[in-house]
Amino acid sequence: MTYPDSLLIEDRGAVRVITMNRPDKRNALNNELTQALLAALREADADPEVNAIVLAGAGQSFCAGADVKEFGGFVAGGSDADAAQAALKRAHLTTSLHRAFVEIGTPVVGAAQGYAMGGGAGLALACDLLVVGESLKLGYPELKHGIVAAIVMANLVRQVGRKTAFELVSTGDTVDASRALALGLANRVSPDSTLVDDAVALAARLADYDPVSMTATKRLFHRVADLPLTQAFDVSLDTNLMMRSFPKRAPKS
């Protein structure tokens, strides 16, 4: 598939690096980039040569969230009904993008530096693992602009305690790399200069395992995360029995 200039694709062995490429806009998400990113995640998941994904942002920031100038364009020269329809379509697209991280079986490692704000923070947290640069500034400033951190809230409340999650969405305060690590939002902190390489190295470890087993592990993880304990045991048993029927491939190293 051919992607717009706002999205870069690079394969490093069995790891596909997907890079948001609007550095002059701090990789803010417009419709074009959002659609391309969704397509790229699905395409990587369908490629048998890709066993792990790294999501990165070009330049000094990961992603500053939604492109507010594009939202302003929804009403330019159009009716209120047109603006509402465009906003609704964009909301569904954004929701589909965030769902894709859970729906695909391929593990995704985020590499986030600089600003990861609003929707950008949501993308960072949607990744299965997250490596952050020392310059990280992650936050949910939506209330400061009179809007709600709506779609991105689902992942946030599942990854930190309730009071911490509410603090982040209600105050708009930013989280630096060390606090992101302490809160469990990030797995590792790296210098910005080696951030993507470090994320690729981590992704390569995941890519080295049997892809069927890795996919089953990721799907089971997300299924049991929010189930009552007895139901979680039931789906775990189903996966255990299913995996016994698959031939095993030893790790390459």
Side-chain angles (χ1 to χ4, degrees):
M1 179 175 175
T2 301
Y3 292 100
D5 293 341
S6 58
L7 196 72
L8 306 178
I9 306 294
E10 177 192 4
D11 286 338
R12 300 194 192 181
V15 177
R16 177 157 297 174
V17 181
I18 300 174
T19 304
M20 296 173 283
N21 187 40
R22 302 183 74 207
D24 56 322
K25 303 293 185 182
R26 292 177 175 169
N27 300 313
L29 294 163
N30 58 9
N31 273 332
E32 178 186 75
L33 178 55
T34 305
Q35 290 169 341
L37 184 52
L38 175 58
L41 288 170
R42 289 174 173 169
E43 184 179 54
D45 188 51
D47 191 332
E49 301 300 317
V50 176
N51 290 345
I53 300 167
V54 167
L55 177 62
Q60 296 182 335
S61 289
F62 176 69
C63 176
D67 190 334
V68 294
K69 289 187 177 180
E70 184 179 66
F71 280 112
F74 287 160
V75 297
S79 66
D80 289 343
D82 291 336
Q85 184 62 33
L88 180 61
K89 183 177 180 180
R90 175 60 177 270
H92 280 291
L93 175 62
T94 300
T95 302
S96 295
L97 174 59
H98 285 265
R99 281 178 175 162
F101 287 85
V102 177
E103 292 171 345
I104 66 175
T106 307
V108 183
V109 178
Q113 80 288 1
Y115 288 102
M117 307 298 286
L123 282 185
L125 267 61
C127 296
D128 299 299
L129 295 173
L130 180 61
V131 183
V132 297
E134 294 172 338
S135 65
L136 180 75
K137 295 179 180 178
L138 182 148
Y140 298 86
E142 283 85 347
L143 272 177
K144 295 179 180 180
H145 304 286
I147 56 178
V148 177
I151 296 169
V152 297
M153 198 182 297
N155 262 322
L156 176 64
V157 299
R158 284 164 171 76
Q159 296 191 31
V160 297
R162 293 170 67 98
K163 284 185 169 52
T164 298
F166 190 74
E167 177 187 350
L168 293 177
V169 298
S170 65
T171 67
D173 289 346
T174 58
V175 172
D176 63 14
S178 61
R179 189 170 186 223
L181 187 65
L183 291 175
L185 297 174
N187 297 95
R188 301 180 183 178
V189 178
S190 291
D192 285 17
S193 59
T194 63
L195 174 63
V196 174
D197 289 339
D198 292 342
V200 169
L202 179 57
R205 291 183 58 189
L206 307 185
D208 201 32
Y209 290 107
D210 174 62
V212 174
S213 298
M214 177 57 73
T215 294
T217 296
K218 175 174 174 176
R219 294 198 188 285
L220 179 61
F221 176 86
H222 285 293
R223 288 184 69 188
V224 303
D226 300 306
L227 286 175
L229 183 59
T230 54
Q231 293 181 34
F233 278 130
D234 288 340
V235 298
S236 298
L237 175 60
D238 291 343
T239 300
N240 179 277
L241 296 174
M242 176 192 71
M243 291 304 298
R244 290 179 184 275
S245 65
F246 285 93
K248 301 298 186 292
R249 176 178 70 81
K252 297 176 183 176
S253 57

